[in-house]
Amino acid sequence: MKQLSYVLALVFLATVGATSPTVAQETPNYVNHNSTAGIPDYDIMYKKRLWRRMDLKEKQNRSFFAFNNEITKIIIEAVHAGVLFPYKNDSLLTRMSKEEFLENMKMPSYSGDQLTEEEKAMGFTADDNWGDDDGWGDDSGWGDEESTASNESSGAATASADYFFPADVSVLQIMEDWVFDKRRSRLFYDIQSITLILPADKFPETGLRREVATFKYKDLEELFRSMPEEALWFNPQNSAEHKNLADAFLLRLFSARLIKVANPEDSYIADIYNTSPKEGLIASQRIEEELLQLEHELWEY
């Protein structure tokens, strides 16, 4: 009799557990929908958010920036084709319109009559007319014989020159999560977003860099995988071993300096250690080494 009561009690508890909405059930709960690693939150033992700056003109990164096969060219052309959506910042919450993207790719317009200080010191003024009556303009015989097709081609080139080329976008900012998965006892570098940046040397008037747009890395990985012949990491040592760009990021074949670690003030490392640029660089390398040491210590838990 006691055994029968015990069995009935177990059946009742199992039925209640299956029907009651208050009973927690173990289901995959991915708190980060931008993750490519797909680690459930209950498996994350430790996590840090990192920002890195990747100069595509560095020797180690040139394979991502091969001539006519630049990673920035692939991304920009995908935006033009409407298959990739840009975002305004690395929060990845607000999409950027195509018009805004094109505006960020536009070259700064400087007035043609602006004079340098040296030119002003030599006595030139903004009213001086160059090219109309000095023998090099329309009445000099230079260019009158050009065909209409040539003029149209010149006009098209002038219009296209208003925008930066993809090869001009030579800096990437990578936001990633440094995650230790306690179930698999493995460290993951989970890239969240990549931001395209025009370097400061493209803006000599201001000396400020310009962020063009941010992209979900999850979207970029899908794009790279869909382009096995175009999205290539160029192997200069062995042409038979070119890799897909997604695999190149997965294998960490790039060099990118650590510029920020998540902190309450959202400050960059260079802002925290701002005594000199050298001190900021040393601090970045030291924090990188501390992360490696932390990874080693996590294996002891």
Side-chain angles (χ1 to χ4, degrees):
M1 188 66 180
K2 290 182 178 180
Q3 290 182 349
L4 180 59
S5 301
Y6 180 71
V7 171
L8 291 174
L10 288 178
V11 172
F12 173 76
L13 290 174
T15 304
V16 172
T19 58
S20 175
T22 60
V23 177
Q25 300 182 13
E26 186 176 358
T27 57
N29 180 21
Y30 303 114
V31 295
N32 186 356
H33 297 287
N34 299 320
S35 170
T36 56
I39 304 174
D41 59 346
Y42 46 76
D43 282 344
I44 296 177
M45 178 180 177
Y46 192 86
K47 180 171 76 171
K48 272 186 177 292
R49 176 150 292 184
L50 311 174
W51 284 260
R52 299 180 184 274
R53 182 100 11 105
M54 178 179 174
D55 187 349
L56 293 169
K57 292 185 178 180
E58 286 185 12
K59 185 176 181 180
Q60 185 173 339
N61 297 327
R62 289 295 301 179
S63 294
F64 292 86
F65 212 52
F67 174 73
N68 208 32
N69 199 40
E70 300 88 351
I71 182 176
T72 50
K73 178 183 177 183
I74 293 171
I75 294 173
I76 292 171
E77 288 181 350
V79 174
H80 282 285
V83 298
L84 186 65
F85 299 105
Y87 290 81
K88 292 189 175 182
N89 51 55
D90 57 20
S91 67
L92 301 175
L93 296 176
T94 308
R95 277 188 181 180
M96 177 184 291
S97 67
K98 191 173 181 179
E99 291 73 20
E100 290 177 289
F101 179 82
L102 292 175
E103 184 65 26
N104 288 340
M105 285 294 296
K106 188 177 292 186
M107 289 183 175
S109 57
Y110 302 121
S111 176
D113 58 0
Q114 286 183 343
L115 300 175
T116 64
E117 293 299 325
E118 184 179 1
E119 290 171 337
K120 292 178 181 178
M122 294 173 64
F124 294 111
T125 66
D127 296 329
D128 290 330
N129 194 351
W130 293 83
D132 290 338
D133 300 316
D134 58 356
W136 295 88
D138 295 335
D139 299 328
S140 64
W142 293 82
D144 289 342
E145 297 81 7
E146 291 180 356
S147 64
T148 305
S150 177
N151 290 334
E152 291 176 354
S153 174
S154 176
T158 303
S160 64
D162 292 336
Y163 293 90
F164 287 106
F165 293 105
D168 293 327
V169 187
S170 60
V171 177
L172 303 182
Q173 183 166 295
I174 301 172
M175 183 181 75
E176 62 183 359
D177 284 339
W178 189 91
V179 183
F180 192 85
D181 184 347
K182 64 183 179 183
R183 184 184 295 268
R184 287 176 281 185
S185 296
R186 179 183 167 189
L187 177 70
F188 288 87
Y189 287 95
D190 191 9
I191 300 179
Q192 305 295 301
S193 70
I194 290 181
T195 302
L196 304 188
I197 296 178
L198 284 160
D201 59 17
K202 300 298 179 184
F203 306 97
E205 294 293 322
T206 62
L208 301 176
R209 62 188 179 88
R210 179 194 292 177
E211 293 187 1
V212 178
T214 302
F215 300 88
K216 287 184 179 181
Y217 181 70
K218 204 170 186 178
D219 295 342
L220 291 177
E221 184 182 47
E222 183 178 351
L223 174 69
F224 298 152
R225 298 289 185 193
S226 69
M227 304 173 64
E229 300 296 329
E230 298 87 2
L232 292 179
W233 176 87
F234 190 92
N235 190 333
Q237 307 301 327
N238 185 357
S239 296
E241 289 297 327
H242 295 329
K243 298 187 182 298
N244 187 271
L245 287 173
D247 291 325
F249 279 107
L250 184 64
L251 295 171
R252 311 287 292 181
L253 298 179
F254 59 88
S255 171
R257 184 168 64 88
L258 188 65
I259 59 171
K260 184 168 73 169
V261 180
N263 60 88
E265 292 79 20
D266 196 34
S267 299
Y268 285 85
I269 295 175
D271 296 329
I272 299 173
Y273 303 91
N274 59 358
T275 305
S276 67
K278 181 179 179 181
E279 184 181 358
L281 179 60
I282 293 174
S284 173
Q285 295 174 338
R286 185 180 69 249
I287 294 172
E288 194 84 67
E289 292 172 359
E290 290 173 354
L291 288 174
L292 291 175
Q293 182 65 29
L294 179 58
E295 177 188 357
H296 176 271
E297 293 173 352
L298 286 173
W299 286 91
E300 300 179 1
Y301 288 98

